[in-house]
Amino acid sequence: MDHFDIAIIGAGLAGSLAAIALADAGYRVALIGPEPAVADGRTTALMDQSIEYLKTLNLWEKVEPLTAPLSTMRILDGTNRLLRAPPVNFRASEVGLDAFGYNIPNAPFIDILCHRAEESPTLTRITTSAIGFELSDAVATIELANGSQCSAYLLVGADGRRSPVREAAKISVSTWSYPQTAVVLNFAHELPHQNISTEFHTESGPFTQVPLPGNRSSLVWVRKPEDAAQTLTLDLAALSRAVEDRMQSILGKVTVEGTPQSFPLSGMTAQRFGKGRVVLLGEAAHAFPPIGAQGLNLSLRDVMTLVDIIGVSSGEPLAGDIGDRFDSRRRPDIISRTASVDLLNRSLLSGFLPVQALRALGLHVLSAVGPLRSLLMREGVHPGSALNAFKEGLREKIGRKSA
């Protein structure tokens, strides 16, 4: 039976990035999971902190040609409600950046990660499913669908919302659903996007256009399930027209590319994010609607934290409390991000006038108050940085007064 330092179950973006990072730290890593049956037509917007991490993994040079920068993030109220919010523009230049992040198509991104995994001498790719787990104080044993077994000191679940690893570790979850379905597609457009991502807030959820290279963009259109189903029945000409109308023709004529995909929206948070010799990453630990480009960025912070906890390989067996330490470190970030995305999404759905008023007022304040807008942007790009800057500023003021 093959033995590894770390076995990662799930070979999607989060699992692949974790495998590469941990192999780079000197660990013997097994990345376990079948090849995807269907190409992922979605894109992922990675923020500046995540891009910097890709650079440390020597991945950015290959990924960058696929991407488009997000220099401005614009929020427009696309509702017909009595109380409507003003337009809000978040510009990267306001916080000293060329771009908040970059939008990357998922399918070629995962291809790059697969090629990189093949080049790593300490990373073994096992392209079959894990069908059983035995957890002990000393080691985790994984039963594979091809009839073989392997073991590892640390078992990492990056195996999605219905995570078998999470189930084997007897970690429960809190789940909730939304009366929404996300329609995902890519489209070409007549006018340049100028590296601006526009998010229309509608009564059924966000309609978010994100730049791709050239005169192309990706789209996440959150709709009521029945409206989403009807959208998927449209031919490409009618769908292109519907997208252009919803965008108020700000990018001119639209031409939808390929076949749109749809995903029912729900949320999930694990009661624990690690336990003993088990760690949960990505959607095995947390899942929420595609709002504010939080998904994979949050998952990459999971990876960064795990690497920070275990450090560079010393050649010794990994400790049995890594999961507990990981849970303690990740809890504040995951809980706060999940709550904020849930609150924003529910505020869009609410027909309660005071809720609409508070949402409109909040966006008005962000539009009018530059320092507050900058604080929010810094926090979005580098979580925790805004609070740390506030603390440092407070200390300086107290120090000057006491001097």
Side-chain angles (χ1 to χ4, degrees):
M1 179 170 61
D2 292 330
H3 178 75
F4 302 91
D5 296 315
I6 303 165
I8 299 172
I9 312 302
L13 288 173
S16 298
L17 284 162
I20 291 167
L22 293 165
D24 279 2
Y27 293 96
R28 292 166 296 150
V29 179
L31 177 60
I32 302 170
E35 301 290 350
V38 179
D40 190 344
R42 295 172 294 178
T43 66
T44 296
L46 288 181
M47 297 296 102
D48 183 70
Q49 183 185 44
S50 298
I51 297 300
E52 290 302 314
Y53 195 61
L54 290 188
K55 291 177 181 178
T56 68
L57 299 177
N58 296 316
L59 287 165
W60 181 238
E61 184 176 338
K62 292 184 178 179
V63 172
E64 185 179 15
L66 305 172
T67 70
L70 309 179
S71 299
T72 299
M73 302 179 75
R74 175 169 57 193
I75 296 177
L76 299 177
D77 193 327
T79 69
N80 293 314
R81 290 169 174 162
L82 177 63
L83 296 174
R84 301 182 66 203
V88 182
N89 289 290
F90 299 95
R91 296 180 176 86
S93 58
E94 293 184 57
V95 289
L97 297 173
D98 294 327
F100 291 115
Y102 293 78
N103 194 33
I104 307 168
N106 287 2
F109 188 13
I110 196 71
D111 286 343
I112 288 172
L113 299 183
C114 288
H115 289 307
R116 172 61 189 281
E118 292 172 356
E119 296 170 356
S120 176
T122 58
L123 200 167
T124 300
R125 179 73 172 92
I126 302 175
T127 56
T128 190
S129 299
I131 59 173
F133 307 94
E134 182 179 336
L135 304 176
S136 71
D137 291 339
V139 74
T141 303
I142 303 104
E143 183 180 353
L144 301 173
N146 62 11
S148 64
Q149 291 183 329
C150 64
S151 62
Y153 295 122
L154 180 66
L155 179 63
V156 177
D159 47 350
R161 297 188 186 211
R162 298 180 180 179
S163 168
V165 171
R166 189 182 64 228
E167 184 176 342
K170 295 181 171 57
I171 297 174
S172 59
V173 297
S174 297
T175 61
W176 58 97
S177 60
Y178 301 95
Q180 299 166 296
T181 295
V183 176
V184 178
L185 55 86
N186 295 333
F187 64 96
H189 40 81
E190 183 181 19
L191 302 176
H193 48 57
Q194 298 178 316
N195 299 330
I196 298 172
S197 174
T198 302
E199 183 168 290
F200 289 87
H201 286 181
T202 78
E203 290 89 347
S204 61
F207 174 101
T208 308
Q209 165 267 329
V210 188
L212 286 171
N215 280 14
R216 298 176 63 246
S217 292
S218 62
L219 176 69
V220 178
W221 188 357
V222 177
R223 311 205 70 187
K224 295 177 181 178
E226 58 273 22
D227 293 336
Q230 184 179 11
T231 298
L232 294 177
T233 67
L234 298 175
D235 61 39
L236 288 183
L239 181 56
S240 299
R241 184 67 194 183
V243 171
E244 181 182 335
D245 289 346
R246 179 70 270 185
M247 291 197 69
Q248 302 172 13
S249 297
I250 62 174
L251 293 177
K253 183 180 178 180
V254 162
T255 305
V256 172
E257 302 172 342
T259 303
Q261 296 174 297
S262 67
F263 303 88
L265 296 192
S266 61
M268 182 279 294
T269 304
Q271 295 298 314
R272 294 179 60 87
F273 308 118
K275 180 181 177 182
R277 293 191 178 275
V278 173
V279 162
L280 301 179
L281 301 179
E283 290 198 341
H286 45 75
F288 42 70
I291 296 176
Q294 293 300 311
L296 187 59
N297 292 285
L298 190 63
S299 300
L300 264 173
R301 294 202 293 279
D302 294 340
V303 174
M304 294 178 209
T305 300
L306 178 57
V307 173
D308 185 57
I309 288 173
I310 66 176
V312 176
S313 174
S314 64
E316 297 296 319
L318 289 167
D321 65 343
I322 291 172
D324 301 286
R325 285 188 278 155
F326 180 83
D327 174 70
S328 178
R329 285 272 299 274
R330 291 301 296 139
R331 184 162 295 276
D333 184 24
I334 292 172
I335 296 301
S336 64
R337 294 287 156 167
T338 301
S340 62
V341 169
D342 180 65
L343 180 62
L344 177 56
N345 191 43
R346 292 185 189 278
S347 75
L348 290 173
L349 297 175
S350 177
F352 191 42
L353 195 61
V355 172
Q356 296 175 20
L358 283 172
R359 177 181 156 274
L361 177 61
L363 289 173
H364 175 74
V365 170
L366 285 176
S367 177
V369 182
L372 181 60
R373 189 170 61 252
S374 295
L375 192 72
L376 183 67
M377 286 189 285
R378 292 182 188 279
E379 184 63 22
V381 172
H382 291 278
S385 62
L387 180 60
N388 291 335
F390 176 77
K391 289 179 179 177
E392 289 299 322
L394 194 60
R395 288 195 191 100
E396 289 180 8
K397 287 184 179 180
I398 294 174
R400 284 197 296 268
K401 287 182 179 179
S402 61

